Amino acid sequence: MSMAASPPPKKKVIIDTDPGIDDAMAIFVALRSPELEVIGLTTIFGNVYTSLATRNALHLLEAAGRTDIPVAEGSHVTVKKATKLRIASFVHGSDGLGNQNFPPPASKPIDQSAAAFLVEQANLYPGQVTVVALGPLTNLALAVELDPSFASKIGQIVILGGAYSVNGNVNPAAEANIFGDPDAADIVFTCGADILAVGINITHQVVLSDIDRKKLEQSDSKYARYLCKIVGLYYDYHMDAYSTTGVYLHDPTTLLAAVNPSLMTYTEGVVRVQTEGISKGLTVFDNTKKTYGEITAWSGKPTVKVAVTVDAPAVVELMMQRLIMDD
Ligand SMILES: O=c1[nH]cnc2c1ncn2[C@@H]1O[C@H](CO)[C@@H](O)[C@H]1O
């Protein structure tokens, strides 16, 4: 008797997000990826304040018809309780979704903080949960502080964060997600979890051109059409900031690294984050190949994987395919 091979188990994913136009793309791609089971969204400040991130996360799940997925609201302040936050409304619009003024969602977040939800899920499914972190790393740092076993129980943390051997996007030193809470980022990078970091040295190679945008616009996919409605402002920002007619696919690229890690190559080493001074938010990678003459801040810290190359056309194609494919 022949038996059909059973499909591989889906990867359980929690997306920690600050939606955000490219966050919306990543969330839709995740919902459309048969390799993934999205078990929750957790929210954080960054592109918008946390309360608006929660509202947008709920709204995006409603737009996708997936209100079965829980949303846990994250921290409103940095891990050091700073309330003065850097919010990128000039990139995403004051509503975070291209100034479309969508009606408020009917659904509500669950009664648990993002950090508590992350800890709970890691304990429920040890080694099986992947967190895709698309904003500042505050919630994950709080999870590490809440439960010392979180780092070993979480399956993998895929981080959009850092600028490795290239300039930042907030200033020459810092990438926006790391700059948003550098102390949290340093806690997470050194916590000992299985970490895969995707920096803007990678995501600046992955561009959605105007031609691809038109293809999305002309498809009948409700996901593609929704994204085309909100993406205009993101194109304007890229024209102003980088003089390009395309947009960088930061968040969907990172999400797709969780779907198919072989879209990138990686190196391994220790990442520490500068938490003060003019280079606050700088990610500094030690390849651990040199024995320094003294103990450094990197000595003996756990290593992480950092993406070094990407098959950019394959990432764009996969994203387009996931958005356009039939339900
Ligand atoms: O110039 C910028 N300032 C702040 N945030 C930005 C900028 N450009 C892009 N992003 C946002 O930050 C993440 C990648 O660093 C992405 O979520 C992107 O939308």
Side-chain angles (χ1 to χ4, degrees):
M1 191 175 72
S2 80
M3 294 220 292
S6 55
K10 292 182 185 238
K11 206 183 249 191
K12 292 185 195 304
V13 169
I14 298 171
I15 306 174
D16 190 58
T17 176
D18 54 341
I21 294 168
D22 56 329
D23 298 75
M25 294 178 182
I27 291 167
F28 283 179
V29 171
L31 297 177
R32 307 274 290 155
S33 289
E35 301 87 349
L36 306 183
E37 177 193 0
V38 180
I39 62 169
L41 303 184
T42 53
T43 64
I44 191 61
F45 59 84
N47 296 327
V48 291
Y49 285 101
T50 303
S51 38
L52 188 48
T54 303
R55 176 183 153 138
N56 288 348
L58 294 165
H59 159 77
L60 290 165
L61 291 176
E62 287 184 3
R66 292 301 307 274
T67 50
D68 55 302
I69 297 172
V71 174
E73 182 157 87
S75 184
H76 296 256
V77 296
T78 69
V79 78
K80 286 210 161 155
K81 310 264 186 284
T83 51
K84 195 168 162 285
L85 307 172
R86 181 181 185 275
I87 302 300
S89 49
F90 56 97
V91 181
H92 300 272
S94 55
D95 70 350
L97 296 172
N99 288 338
Q100 294 301 303
N101 297 311
F102 293 110
S107 43
K108 297 263 176 296
I110 59 173
D111 237 7
Q112 210 176 10
S113 71
F117 179 75
L118 288 163
V119 164
E120 180 195 73
Q121 296 301 310
N123 278 291
L124 262 177
Y125 307 109
Q128 294 173 53
V129 178
T130 299
V131 180
V132 179
L134 303 176
L137 294 168
T138 318
N139 293 329
L140 280 158
L142 292 171
V144 169
E145 288 182 348
L146 203 61
D147 179 355
S149 72
F150 178 76
S152 61
K153 288 197 179 130
I154 197 71
Q156 189 173 50
I157 307 174
V158 183
I159 295 172
L160 167 63
Y164 304 91
S165 307
V166 298
N167 279 145
N169 57 2
V170 172
N171 60 45
E175 180 277 329
N177 287 345
I178 305 299
F179 188 82
D181 194 345
D183 300 286
D186 196 53
I187 290 170
V188 174
F189 275 113
T190 57
C191 76
D194 180 350
I195 287 178
L196 199 160
V198 178
I200 56 174
N201 48 307
I202 294 293
T203 58
H204 279 182
Q205 298 176 50
V206 189
V207 175
L208 188 74
S209 69
D210 242 353
I211 297 169
D212 296 330
R213 180 189 182 182
K214 294 223 165 65
K215 273 193 221 160
L216 290 177
E217 239 155 30
Q218 284 158 9
S219 83
D220 334 307
S221 154
K222 70 173 177 185
Y223 307 92
R225 290 220 173 142
Y226 177 98
L227 293 173
C228 288
K229 261 200 298 201
I230 66 171
V231 86
L233 206 114
Y234 202 46
Y235 273 83
D236 295 345
Y237 164 73
H238 282 73
M239 181 48 83
D240 290 347
Y242 301 100
S243 308
T244 60
T245 51
V247 296
Y248 297 136
L249 295 173
H250 303 284
D251 293 355
T253 300
T254 306
L255 189 281
L256 287 172
V259 169
N260 180 4
S262 68
L263 290 164
M264 298 176 196
T265 63
Y266 308 89
T267 185
E268 185 147 352
V270 176
V271 171
R272 295 294 313 261
V273 179
Q274 179 67 44
T275 55
E276 288 164 2
I278 61 164
S279 54
K280 189 171 88 171
L282 179 71
T283 43
V284 184
F285 176 79
D286 174 16
N287 66 19
T288 70
K289 302 254 181 342
K290 174 166 196 231
T291 307
Y292 289 96
E294 58 191 279
I295 305 265
T296 76
W298 290 256
S299 303
K301 298 288 183 194
T303 60
V304 300
K305 292 183 209 66
V306 175
V308 286
T309 69
V310 59
D311 184 347
V315 171
V316 176
E317 194 184 311
L318 185 56
M319 185 192 88
M320 299 278 292
Q321 182 240 320
R322 291 293 154 93
L323 291 175
I324 291 176
M325 72 184 188
D326 289 334
D327 272 317

